[in-house]
Amino acid sequence: MPQDDQWVPLLLPSEIRRMDRESLIREIREIKAQYKEKMAILAHHYQKDEIVELADKRGDSLELARYSARLKKAKYIIFCGVAFMVEAAAILCREDQKVYFPAPDAGCPLADMAEEGDVKRAWGELSRILDVGKIIPITYVNSPTELKAFCGERGGIVCTSSNADKIMEWAFQKGEKILFMPDENLGRNTCNALGMQREEVIVWNPQLDGGGCDKDAVRKAKAILWKGFCHVHLNFTAQQVKMARENYPGCRIIVHPECQEDVVNLSDAAGSTSRIIQYVEESPPESAIVIGTESNLVKRLAKEHPDKTIVELSHSECPDMARVTLRNLHFVMKYLGDFNVVEVEEPIASHARLALERMLEVK
Ligand code: SF4
């Protein structure tokens, strides 16, 4: 995993490669002060503390998408996250704004599990079984921009882990079935929360012909879930939940809905990063809270709430989120230009914008 002090990209100018941590932070603050409101630094909750502390806005995917769409004065949006988030901000921003990505190599393995070709092949296979006009495609925001465009073109929509339940309800008002991509676990946990029956939910494995699904099961299903997962959240297990209850008697356990179904079912609550933060804030002093999500957020919550015992269900970091460093952040801020700018080509941008804007309109 790239650590700022161990992994210094040779492509960065030598004066930045040689700077120590304190100088980097000082200069980043100075550059930000020069630009004032013309520059906005956005950081996802999974970023390291040193990045989050420099941000104008920290949030989950939904909050950052909403925030970037509403930025009035900022011309330079510096987005500390992974590619799919930065591309969503680039799609939603105005023409006079530029979105900069400090770590263009920060992708998301979950997003990569639903490639456009595989999704189009699945759609074709589904069309030979039923009327795909009755299916509303939903993609989790953790997805390639091409997949958001695919959904936008077909009356579909984007969701985040904050609003997946509302988005599914929206979709069932528009169509008879949903195709939910690419995270099976978020899909499954949301279907469970909405009270859907086991036989109403099937899993489409893009590695297999016909998704590995029986045709009758496809016709009967209300929800077809893409077989994808987040490796960071797959690290959490039901056994860890049981052990946490033994180690911290009386504790409350909250996990992210990208965790597997059995982990969510054994926990006291599940929710997006913002929901987890709210859960901690609303818990009384002296509470013991065990959290199953990316470790940077859990460690920060422990630091910010010393009156509570906050521990990780297990240690699990996202190596892609860690690719944003003080050095590459300093670099994009200092040399604002045409590099590290994220732009999405037409017509993909317009179609993806449709799916994103539909999401932003769902209350
Ligand atoms: S935590 Fe999981 S879903 Fe989020 S960016 Fe990392 S790999 Fe992707």
Side-chain angles (χ1 to χ4, degrees):
M1 183 178 306
Q3 298 293 327
D4 213 22
D5 49 349
Q6 297 164 357
W7 185 77
V8 182
L10 287 172
L11 290 175
L12 292 179
S14 59
E15 88 264 14
I16 295 180
R17 276 189 279 137
R18 282 197 293 264
M19 283 170 79
D20 60 24
R21 187 175 177 279
E22 285 64 37
S23 311
L24 286 163
I25 291 172
R26 191 187 63 250
E27 288 201 9
I28 288 170
R29 290 195 194 283
E30 285 170 5
I31 298 169
K32 177 67 183 63
Q34 281 166 24
Y35 282 95
K36 298 189 181 133
E37 289 174 316
K38 281 195 175 154
M39 179 184 278
I41 305 174
L42 280 52
H44 189 269
H45 289 306
Y46 293 162
Q47 291 290 309
K48 287 174 282 198
D49 282 356
E50 60 193 17
I51 303 292
V52 165
E53 283 161 11
L54 292 164
D56 298 293
K57 171 76 181 170
R58 60 169 100 165
D60 64 15
S61 307
L62 179 61
E63 288 168 332
L64 296 178
R66 282 193 197 285
Y67 186 82
S68 57
R70 286 181 192 149
L71 278 170
K72 294 253 180 314
K73 295 185 181 161
K75 293 229 178 292
Y76 311 103
I77 300 169
I78 318 289
F79 206 118
C80 303
V82 295
F84 69 79
M85 298 175 181
V86 191
E87 287 173 10
I91 289 167
L92 292 170
C93 76
R94 298 187 310 267
E95 275 188 14
D96 64 325
Q97 294 174 314
K98 280 187 176 175
V99 179
Y100 288 85
F101 190 10
D105 54 349
C108 167
L110 167 59
D112 294 342
M113 287 177 194
E115 288 181 358
E116 191 185 11
D118 288 340
V119 173
K120 286 189 169 162
R121 188 163 56 87
W123 196 254
E125 289 178 318
L126 286 168
S127 72
R128 290 194 280 281
I129 302 172
L130 44 78
D131 175 6
V132 286
K134 294 178 178 166
I135 305 177
I136 303 295
I138 303 175
T139 182
Y140 189 22
V141 69
N142 305 27
S143 58
T145 300
E146 290 77 9
L147 181 49
K148 295 182 180 78
F150 174 93
C151 292
E153 263 189 293
R154 290 163 181 79
I157 191 163
V158 175
C159 78
T160 71
S161 52
S162 299
N163 63 14
D165 51 350
K166 286 192 186 125
I167 297 294
M168 275 196 193
E169 286 172 341
W170 176 93
F172 283 123
Q173 286 167 9
K174 310 270 174 199
E176 288 178 11
K177 296 175 190 286
I178 58 167
L179 171 62
F180 188 92
M181 302 167 282
D183 188 29
E184 177 190 344
N185 293 317
L186 176 63
R188 171 74 66 188
N189 291 319
T190 309
C191 289
N192 288 346
L194 293 178
M196 290 171 65
Q197 301 301 306
R198 208 78 206 159
E199 60 280 8
E200 293 178 318
V201 184
I202 61 168
V203 177
W204 186 276
N205 183 346
Q207 310 292 330
L208 302 175
D209 285 339
C213 296
D214 175 79
K215 287 182 182 164
D216 270 345
V218 172
R219 286 188 199 100
K220 284 183 194 145
K222 284 183 74 180
I224 303 166
L225 310 180
W226 195 262
K227 195 169 182 57
F229 59 87
C230 162
H231 68 101
V232 176
H233 288 92
L234 212 65
N235 282 336
F236 302 112
T237 64
Q239 183 62 20
Q240 290 164 357
V241 177
K242 289 175 193 157
M243 279 173 60
R245 295 214 188 274
E246 281 176 25
N247 293 338
Y248 300 94
C251 72
R252 306 289 291 167
I253 301 177
I254 182 165
V255 298
H256 194 280
E258 285 172 22
C259 293
Q260 295 174 87
E261 181 184 20
D262 56 350
V263 175
V264 169
N265 290 346
L266 284 170
S267 299
D268 299 300
S272 66
T273 48
S274 297
R275 172 75 190 106
I276 291 171
I277 293 167
Q278 184 192 16
Y279 190 86
V280 169
E281 286 171 352
E282 290 174 356
S283 298
E286 313 293 325
S287 305
I289 307 162
V290 179
I291 303 177
T293 195
E294 210 272 350
S295 291
N296 279 294
L297 173 59
V298 185
K299 283 189 280 184
R300 186 174 314 122
L301 285 169
K303 223 187 319 175
E304 290 174 351
H305 297 272
D307 58 328
K308 297 165 195 172
T309 301
I310 295 172
V311 291
E312 303 170 312
L313 183 55
S314 167
H315 188 75
S316 193
E317 287 188 33
C318 176
D320 281 281
M321 287 282 181
R323 289 184 190 278
V324 178
T325 63
L326 289 173
R327 267 176 235 285
N328 53 31
L329 176 59
H330 182 287
F331 172 71
V332 292
M333 290 174 69
K334 181 164 182 183
Y335 296 100
L336 285 177
D338 290 333
F339 35 78
N340 290 41
V341 177
V342 174
E343 285 169 352
V344 180
E345 287 180 5
E346 292 295 347
I348 293 171
S350 297
H351 294 149
R353 190 177 301 114
L354 258 182
L356 281 161
E357 287 178 349
R358 281 185 192 126
M359 172 186 78
L360 294 175
E361 280 163 19
V362 174
K363 299 287 175 222

